[in-house]
Amino acid sequence: MASITQSKEPTALSSPRFQLDVSSWLRNTIFSSFWHAVFFIFLVIANILIIRTGYTLEPVGLSYNLAPNGQPTALGNFILTITNGALLTSIILILWLIGAALVTYSVATHRWIGPSQWLKDSLYTGPFGALTTLALVLLIVFAIRGILSWAVFGAEFRTDPESVALLRPITPGAIWGVVGANLKLFAVGRYPSEFVWRVWFSLGIVLALGAFSVFAWNFGSPLKRFRQILVWAWLASIPAILFILRGFGTSLVQTNLWGGLLLTIVISVIGIVVSFPIGVLMALGRRSQTRGVPFTWAWGAGLLLIYWGLFGIASEPVTLNIPLIFRDPPVWSVTIAPLTYAALQAIIVIGIFWAIGHYLQGNMIKTFSIVYIEVIRGVPLITVLFMAQIMLPIFLPKEIEIDNLLRVVVGVILFSAAYLAENVRGGLQAIPKGQYEAAVAIGLSNAQSTRLIILPQALRLVIPALVGQCISLFKDTSLVAIVGLFDLLKIAQTVVAQQEWLGLQQETYAFVALVYWVFAFSMSRASQRIEKNLGVGKY
Amino acid sequence: MALGNDVIICNDVHKWYGEFHVLQGVTTTVKEGEVVVIIGPSGSGKSTWIRTINRLEEHQQGQIIVDGTELNNDLRNIQEIRREVGMVFQQFNLFPHLTVLQNITLAPIHVRKWSRERAEEVAMDQLRKVKIPEQANKYPGQLSGGQQQRVAIARALAMQPKIMLFDEPTSALDPEMIKEVLDVMQELAESGMTIMAVTHEMGFARSVANRVIFFDRGNIVEEKPPSEFFSNPEEERTRLFLSQILHH
């Protein structure tokens, strides 16, 4: 009985008297959880920093908006006024207070005027929400103001070095001349100017194919045949464009002159396109159930090695015909007949594979795939590039000089294929066993069921992962700078070292970042479209 | 009905999964035009057995001869047999990325090397037989379970096989859809097709089968025409199984 009476007594909370209890208010709002508190403190600090930076940038819009007589133009004046830091802060505060007042009024009177419902639901969800709104709006407005005043209003767009040199000390923002004056360098590197038309021509091919594709893929089934032709045309366009870019005879443009965005695109496109089939084969190989070495392969490999051992690669002196593993000790080269080397070599190479394969139930294809994938995935791309650069020439006779770019591209392909293989394998594993069984039960061969049933479903599943890989490969091409190629990023480094534009890193790297972003984001959007198109009518 | 030659001969078929002896010397023959229904408790190996007949499972000892060709490791033999033996699965296993029509025409075009027109003609015939020609251009995911299973039957029939294997074709279906699939199977049986079916549908076994095989612990326990099998089972295990499934 006593307990019931007690529970009916009015508690402090239900008391109508208004109490301002700061500590409980803070506990319920900003400090309601650890991460709320951290977030809020972060917002406050970020605001202080960015608004302070904003003030130091004033006055914005100075140089760009000067009239010929040295006075600010009307536009310049207007920009100066509205971007004034104190004024901006005041405007935001007043607007925020009006919103707060509106919401408070609506909550108190239950009269919802204009946007007050929306304001309460989205911007003023409570004391914490309201404060967060204020902090974030300040942050965003001042960040935009900072970026605009640096990149646009306070920036200098002239590209002739003489006038820029004079204007640099009084320009508060970016000096875009460094980009404008070096556009050709960013686009194609040191590609000879008289042959730049070839790049334009190649771009024309790509654009024409692109236009045809947009047409073909937006008009249903009657164009199926046309689409098939287009796919082949796209594939054929790659060697064609490479040929056009390189030229021949007197108009040859060595690949060491290719650079900038052109080089970045060449490396990533070849890397992606060539590594794709290799990756798919590796993924299938890793799951292969084939036991033992296919008879013909073993014989083929043996004969090839014997031939290599006997005759080497043409034009080499006989004593140097011996493959690398037998060059030491050199006494071998004069004491044992080439035929013996060849036999020994074949035994050793086949033996090594056989021994490894033995541990995987004699599945050679699987062994090779696993060893390849795990070795490549175990090393960084830079290592692979160095290997391609330094090791590849050792394996080949001196006369054969492999183009630097080709070596790098081979490295990128090998690297990318290993990752692709694992992505594709993920898709293969997601396909139920019943699909394969149904395919072979109606009489399809192994190869047919893989090509017609398993791969189309598996690849569709891993499109996001594949595009992710394309994007990262595109960005990873910036590493080729290390082995002496002048890709987009390396070009940026050379540009900021130019006498006229010395030290303009912010502008240059911001531009390069923007270019990378545009490409990566386009790929991401394209992948979403492909997924959407392929998903139609499925499941 | 007059029955023809032996088209499936199993002679002392053994199979092990590691230590587990799944098939323990299965021996029987199936004649052309015969409808054989296999029943038995789950885990008895009846599905494994039916899957050895088109080599979805390898047998490790004994002999399986289908349509005069012995099943061994020779890939050409296996593919030849798979062309002549159609199979219908419990989970339908339709290809979700292809339309119904593409599902059915795929094997005729790529294995039998028919022209697309001919394959589509045959496919539509089969779809009419299973009574869903109007679904030809839909994707499997848009069909009900019963419709999907009928498409799977049409897909197997489009290869014009001599033998049809059914591996629990109605077990994954909602009750109201079982009948539409069983009707199709019954019509198929009446058309003279050789059928081996693992199923729990006793009504189907009773009315359609020429012979019922009771399968348990990796071997055939008893095989008889359905009238005798259900009214007068000899073996104790058969009686126990029948009492378990018929009285509840």
Side-chain angles (χ1 to χ4, degrees), chain B residues 150-170:
Chain B
R150 285 187 280 159
V151 172
I153 294 173
R155 177 176 71 179
L157 289 177
M159 281 293 281
Q160 303 185 332
K162 293 182 178 151
I163 301 161
M164 284 287 285
L165 305 176
F166 288 87
D167 186 6
E168 305 202 24
T170 55

Side-chain angles (χ1 to χ4, degrees), chain A residues 433-435 437-445 448 452-453 456-457 460 537-539, chain B residues 51 54 56 79 82 85 87 89 93-97 106-107 110-111 139 141 155 159:
Chain A
K433 204 172 162 241
Q435 288 290 307
E437 286 178 351
V440 295
I442 50 171
L444 295 180
S445 68
Q448 283 175 325
L452 298 168
I453 305 301
Q457 295 186 56
R460 199 170 301 202
K538 205 189 144 212
Y539 301 116
Chain B
R51 286 156 61 90
N54 67 350
L56 286 182
Q79 262 184 277
R82 281 176 181 162
V85 178
M87 185 151 196
F89 299 86
N93 293 348
L94 293 178
F95 308 129
H97 62 302
L106 187 77
H110 286 97
V111 181
Y139 284 88
R155 177 176 71 179
M159 281 293 281

Side-chain angles (χ1 to χ4, degrees), chain A residues 247-268:
Chain A
F248 55 89
T250 49
S251 61
L252 185 73
V253 179
Q254 290 291 351
T255 52
N256 58 1
L257 296 177
W258 302 17
L261 186 60
L262 173 70
L263 185 72
T264 297
I265 291 175
V266 163
I267 295 175
S268 27

Side-chain angles (χ1 to χ4, degrees), chain B residues 137-189:
Chain B
N137 291 312
K138 288 194 183 165
Y139 284 88
Q142 297 166 304
L143 305 184
S144 74
Q147 289 172 328
Q148 289 193 45
Q149 192 61 297
R150 285 187 280 159
V151 172
I153 294 173
R155 177 176 71 179
L157 289 177
M159 281 293 281
Q160 303 185 332
K162 293 182 178 151
I163 301 161
M164 284 287 285
L165 305 176
F166 288 87
D167 186 6
E168 305 202 24
T170 55
S171 301
L173 293 177
D174 290 338
E176 75 272 20
M177 295 172 183
I178 291 176
K179 190 177 173 296
E180 62 190 51
V181 172
L182 290 181
D183 285 347
V184 169
M185 287 170 68
Q186 181 161 3
E187 272 170 40
L188 193 61

Side-chain angles (χ1 to χ4, degrees), chain A residues 226-288:
Chain A
F226 184 47
R227 284 202 287 267
Q228 283 173 353
I229 295 170
L230 268 179
V231 170
W232 288 109
W234 273 111
L235 288 177
S237 73
I238 294 170
I241 285 173
L242 289 177
F243 180 76
I244 293 169
L245 287 177
R246 192 160 181 279
F248 55 89
T250 49
S251 61
L252 185 73
V253 179
Q254 290 291 351
T255 52
N256 58 1
L257 296 177
W258 302 17
L261 186 60
L262 173 70
L263 185 72
T264 297
I265 291 175
V266 163
I267 295 175
S268 27
V269 168
I270 304 179
I272 290 163
V273 172
V274 181
S275 69
F276 184 74
I278 302 178
V280 171
L281 284 180
M282 290 283 168
L284 292 171
R286 192 165 184 169
R287 285 165 55 86
S288 123

